[in-house]
Amino acid sequence: MRKKILLSLLSLLIIISGAAQDSLKMTTLREVVISASRADQSIIEIPRSVAVIGEETIRKSIYQSFGELLNAESSLYVVGANQTPGTNQNLFMRGSNSNQVAVLIDGVRIADPSSPNAAMDLSEVSLTNVERVEIVRGSHSTMYGGAAIGGVINLITKKNGTPGFHGAAGWQGGVFGEDAWSSTENVTLTYNTKNGLYFDGSVFQQNVQGLNASEKSKTFPSFTSDRDNFEKTDASVKAGFRNEIWVGNISFKNVHQFADIDNGAFSDDDNSYLIFDRKLLQYQLGYKLHPYFRLSVLGSFTESERFYEDDSSKVNLTTYDKTYSTGSYYGELQTHEVQLNYAKEDTKGVFGAGLYTEKMFFDSYLFYNDPAFPFELETNYDTLDTSTSTRYIFAQLGHVFGNFNLSAGSRLSNHTTAGNVLTFEVNPSFAFKNLLLYGSFSSGFNAPSLYQLYDPSKGFTAHTTRGNPNLQPEKSISFELGVKKLFSSGSYITFSAYQTKVDNSIEYVYLWNREKPVEVLDFNDDRGDTYINVGEQLVRGLEVEAYAQISDKVSLSGNISALNTRIKIQPDNIDNQHTGGHHVQLFNLGTFLNNDVEQSDLVRRPNFTAYTRLSYEPVPDLGFAFVYRYTGKRFDSGYDGSLGPYGALSRIAVDAYHLVDIGVNWQATKIFGVAVKVDNLLKEEYR
């Protein structure tokens, strides 16, 4: 487990532009979004829990990462955010698993198909050249397909603006405790013509030196210490055209990251590192066929690779572990989609069809150089077809009947191994003057990852492969009730209550010799490890968001989220043909499935979170911010060697923590601004 004490961070931001910056204002429920319905619609009209983080909010906050930005939103918790730069950032939304949230860039899903569960590491995303971030909470598979059980995050990049040449340059520098520092630079250049053509490019560079990510302990006096550095570069270019009839653009993004990694808590490793690269090509073309119809085509090609090397044959001057290992994980995604939008008076609709493909490749090498027991192992997927495709059609139609609005939609997806999957959503709502009462009833699904389907690994005495091609998709049913109220001053309050039930949850399990009692199992009784569908997951929660314009100079915003989670697993749901009838041990819980298993409080989901921001703007160009964040008690996972012959994961209680941040923004001139921020003012220790 990693732990970070962020003592302070001082930042400077310089903006250079040919046009004046807008005054800084909070986003209200009048903001227009597209992610909820794939069409322009204001938040106050959308019968879902929706949020928008605008460009000015991002710039003013000086967030260090995409994960930190999302961590301030209700019902979102990002493991790894506000911690050591380079740490994996996994998103949990409304209690769903990290691979049950769809992350999009300009409406196209981005993931890591070579990782075990295909979840995206948010640390690869920078906030350079971002126009806004749209968040749709709750199951949204009808609009966006798989991995949208918990919701959707859509990061939308900038497009054409005011004619002329514009540029922005920023620098952030900070210190983290003793002998550790961070430097971040970004440059954006944009050229817009009067006839709608635009070109832009951006470069983001981050360098972190001197941090130590391993947790210290007085019980380990021989603990060695190394510094864990991190480097990141994110570069992109885009060209496009927009007018009343045509919309089109093509863009390319390249991400490169280098991170020193450790060997776990109390275990530094100065010879191990991880490199991540992603290349992303996206395209979009839209044409207004008729005043009521618009046709769009969009898609993407993306390649990603994670490479690690651990040359720990020599750990330090006196310690050797005789191990050398490397691994390369390659993933490829493609999305191609056509969409037709219809809008006439009180009726709106969207219809579409598309293709989503995934592919991965894996190559690893391990050498254990011990004279008494030398061992060498090489694994690759070069003879396997580790790919899947999903073909789909979808439709959504909505109509306003006076104060009553009803929208409904459905999607039919055909997955390579799972076959046909049908999802739906129904969203009724009642609108009064700046007040919306709404409900949502929807279903979702999450297809198995390529690793879960095709991994050919076997143990020494295994009777089955780790991958299970018979896995079924995880399926969900969600209910939600909510209220949105917008006041004439711009203040607002929203409330929602929800429940999501997920069946066919995919779990990683050990298999043990069925001929022996569990109590006397040993290493020789290993019958392999695999993935199976087993049990159900239930999540209930409440969300409250509010913004108050107290005066012309003072505003207050915040949110609270309460969460109750549970997993229930029954032996009767096990596929005994795949497991061979052997004893099944849940790796993530360490429990043998001899009887029903029910566990509350799933790991890495806080039971309560709160966020408050007080903003004070004494003059239009000077702003102060005071931020308080609370993260409630939760559980994490930790290895326990007493759970079966190989050990497994047990739950570790993690204490709640409070964070207080302060910041000031000064727009000295139209082209120059300075911001200073101090994180964790109270020097809180947290995990």
Side-chain angles (χ1 to χ4, degrees):
M1 181 183 297
R2 294 186 172 189
K3 172 183 177 182
K4 173 191 169 191
I5 306 174
L6 180 57
L7 297 182
S8 65
L9 174 63
L10 304 178
S11 302
L12 172 67
L13 181 63
I14 303 172
I15 303 296
I16 305 171
S17 178
Q21 299 294 319
D22 294 334
S23 60
L24 302 178
K25 296 179 181 293
M26 286 292 300
T27 300
T28 72
L29 294 187
R30 299 189 191 278
E31 185 78 30
V32 174
V33 300
I34 61 173
S35 300
S37 61
R38 290 180 175 252
D40 292 346
Q41 196 174 8
S42 66
I43 295 178
I44 188 64
E45 298 173 344
I46 298 173
R48 304 292 297 264
S49 177
V50 180
V52 176
I53 308 173
E55 177 185 355
E56 288 298 301
T57 301
I58 296 172
R59 185 175 69 83
K60 184 177 179 181
S61 65
I62 323 177
Y63 284 109
Q64 299 299 297
S65 70
F66 188 39
E68 287 184 58
L69 178 73
L70 297 180
N71 235 8
E73 298 298 315
S74 63
S75 292
L76 273 67
Y77 180 66
V78 182
V79 175
N82 305 108
Q83 296 190 11
T84 306
T87 300
N88 283 359
Q89 296 184 7
N90 297 123
L91 172 64
F92 295 84
M93 182 188 291
R94 284 192 166 183
S96 61
N97 297 337
S98 59
N99 63 330
Q100 295 173 342
V101 180
V103 180
L104 316 174
I105 296 180
D106 290 326
V108 178
R109 183 183 168 196
I110 306 298
D112 184 358
S114 67
S115 66
N117 65 359
M120 184 178 181
D121 176 8
L122 297 183
S123 70
E124 74 166 89
V125 180
S126 72
L127 296 172
T128 300
N129 208 31
V130 174
E131 180 180 292
R132 66 187 187 275
V133 178
E134 299 182 354
I135 301 168
V136 184
R137 305 179 186 91
S139 179
H140 214 38
S141 285
T142 294
M143 289 289 97
Y144 293 101
I149 289 176
V152 171
I153 306 292
N154 192 5
L155 187 148
I156 299 173
T157 59
K158 296 178 184 177
K159 298 177 178 62
N160 65 322
T162 305
F165 177 81
H166 306 273
W171 174 80
Q172 295 181 17
V175 293
F176 300 83
E178 299 179 1
D179 303 322
W181 56 270
S182 170
S183 178
T184 300
E185 307 86 37
N186 65 83
V187 176
T188 301
L189 299 175
T190 303
Y191 178 70
N192 304 307
T193 68
K194 293 181 179 180
N195 62 6
L197 279 171
Y198 63 94
F199 307 89
D200 67 54
S202 65
V203 177
F204 172 91
Q205 173 72 42
Q206 183 179 14
N207 190 296
V208 181
Q209 300 285 326
L211 282 174
N212 193 337
S214 288
E215 184 177 0
K216 310 298 186 295
S217 174
K218 296 179 180 179
T219 61
F220 286 77
S222 61
F223 176 79
T224 60
S225 180
D226 77 333
R227 297 296 182 176
D228 302 296
N229 302 325
F230 175 69
E231 299 174 5
K232 175 183 177 66
T233 302
D234 185 343
S236 65
V237 292
K238 178 188 288 186
F241 175 79
R242 173 186 288 184
N243 60 23
E244 292 297 321
I245 304 298
W246 288 95
V247 173
N249 62 71
I250 184 169
S251 64
F252 178 77
K253 176 190 284 284
N254 185 83
V255 178
H256 173 78
Q257 292 186 170
F258 172 91
D260 289 321
I261 56 178
D262 286 323
N263 207 17
F266 320 122
S267 183
D268 271 319
D269 193 333
D270 56 3
N271 299 297
S272 184
Y273 65 88
L274 175 68
I275 296 175
F276 176 84
D277 290 283
R278 182 187 293 277
K279 294 177 174 61
L280 172 63
L281 176 67
Q282 291 185 274
Y283 67 89
Q284 180 183 11
L285 181 65
Y287 177 66
K288 190 173 183 180
L289 298 168
H290 182 273
Y292 305 146
F293 292 96
R294 175 171 287 275
L295 182 67
S296 302
V297 179
L298 72 158
S300 69
F301 304 82
T302 177
E303 296 179 350
S304 61
E305 182 178 10
R306 289 178 291 119
F307 174 81
Y308 82 87
E309 182 179 42
D310 184 7
D311 186 3
S312 296
S313 54
K314 185 175 183 178
V315 177
N316 54 44
L317 293 177
T318 60
T319 305
Y320 296 79
D321 73 1
K322 309 177 182 66
T323 302
Y324 174 80
S325 62
T326 64
S328 182
Y329 306 81
Y330 171 84
E332 180 181 299
L333 295 176
Q334 289 191 40
T335 300
H336 306 283
E337 187 173 285
V338 59
Q339 175 181 317
L340 179 66
N341 286 81
Y342 170 79
K344 181 182 179 182
E345 298 177 350
D346 293 333
T347 303
K348 293 183 179 180
V350 58
F351 313 89
L355 172 68
Y356 177 78
T357 65
E358 301 174 280
K359 184 178 181 180
M360 78 165 183
F361 177 79
F362 176 85
D363 188 3
S364 68
Y365 175 75
L366 171 66
F367 178 56
Y368 184 62
N369 186 21
D370 188 334
F373 183 67
F375 179 73
E376 188 174 20
L377 177 64
E378 184 172 5
T379 304
N380 63 63
Y381 288 5
D382 57 355
T383 61
L384 299 177
D385 179 18
T386 51
S387 64
T388 60
S389 64
T390 304
R391 295 171 174 83
Y392 56 89
I393 56 175
F394 63 91
Q396 185 185 62
L397 190 64
H399 186 76
V400 178
F401 305 88
N403 291 333
F404 177 68
N405 180 22
L406 178 65
S407 65
S410 184
R411 170 182 290 237
L412 178 62
S413 302
N414 180 266
H415 185 268
T416 301
T417 64
N420 293 328
V421 180
L422 183 67
T423 55
F424 67 88
E425 64 176 44
V426 180
N427 300 296
S429 61
F430 292 89
F432 304 95
K433 186 176 181 180
N434 290 330
L435 174 68
L436 184 74
L437 306 177
Y438 70 90
S440 176
F441 176 42
S442 61
S443 64
F445 80 99
N446 184 38
S449 70
L450 297 177
Y451 189 90
Q452 293 167 342
L453 287 170
Y454 298 125
D455 182 18
S457 303
K458 289 186 177 183
F460 292 110
T461 60
H463 292 177
T464 186
T465 60
R466 180 174 298 158
N468 180 1
N470 297 318
L471 286 173
Q472 296 299 304
E474 298 173 323
K475 297 182 179 180
S476 68
I477 293 291
S478 298
F479 303 88
E480 179 177 351
L481 294 174
V483 180
K484 300 179 183 181
K485 172 60 180 175
L486 176 63
F487 300 92
S488 58
S489 64
S491 302
Y492 65 82
I493 186 169
T494 71
F495 170 84
S496 59
Y498 61 88
Q499 173 181 296
T500 299
K501 180 182 177 183
V502 181
D503 290 316
N504 290 338
S505 294
I506 297 174
E507 293 285 339
Y508 174 56
V509 300
Y510 287 145
L511 304 179
W512 299 100
N513 184 7
R514 63 185 178 186
E515 304 298 332
K516 294 175 63 174
V518 170
E519 295 78 12
V520 296
L521 293 173
D522 57 35
F523 296 115
N524 294 322
D525 296 309
D526 173 18
R527 295 298 181 267
D529 53 301
T530 188
Y531 291 91
I532 60 174
N533 293 104
V534 58
E536 65 180 36
Q537 180 177 305
L538 183 65
V539 178
R540 296 187 177 99
L542 298 172
E543 301 166 353
V544 179
E545 291 186 311
Y547 169 74
Q549 189 67 49
I550 299 174
S551 70
D552 292 340
K553 299 179 180 180
V554 180
S555 63
L556 181 67
S557 61
N559 60 72
I560 59 174
S561 304
L563 191 65
N564 180 274
T565 60
R566 185 189 71 190
I567 186 170
K568 185 176 182 180
I569 301 175
Q570 298 175 313
D572 293 342
N573 295 328
I574 295 174
D575 180 1
N576 289 314
Q577 183 175 356
H578 180 72
T579 64
H582 294 295
H583 295 301
V584 175
Q585 182 189 14
L586 298 169
F587 177 74
N588 289 322
L589 295 178
T591 306
F592 283 86
L593 290 182
N594 297 327
N595 299 296
D596 291 356
V597 174
E598 186 168 342
Q599 181 69 69
S600 299
D601 300 322
L602 301 180
V603 297
R604 300 187 178 97
R605 287 115 164 134
N607 55 11
F608 186 85
T609 59
Y611 174 89
T612 301
R613 179 188 179 99
L614 177 65
S615 299
Y616 173 56
E617 205 170 85
V619 294
D621 297 323
L622 180 64
F624 297 87
F626 305 88
V627 175
Y628 168 75
R629 285 176 288 177
Y630 173 79
T631 300
K633 295 180 180 179
R634 63 204 183 284
F635 289 94
D636 207 334
S637 296
Y639 175 76
D640 186 343
S642 67
L643 300 175
Y646 287 151
L649 298 183
S650 63
R651 300 199 308 166
I652 301 173
V654 180
D655 293 334
Y657 63 87
H658 310 258
L659 295 179
V660 177
D661 308 329
I662 59 174
V664 58
N665 251 286
W666 178 40
Q667 193 68 39
T669 70
K670 292 181 178 180
I671 64 171
F672 180 80
V674 179
V676 178
K677 181 184 178 186
V678 180
D679 279 329
N680 198 1
L681 185 66
L682 303 181
K683 300 182 180 180
E684 178 91 347
E685 296 188 7
Y686 64 95
R687 298 180 180 179

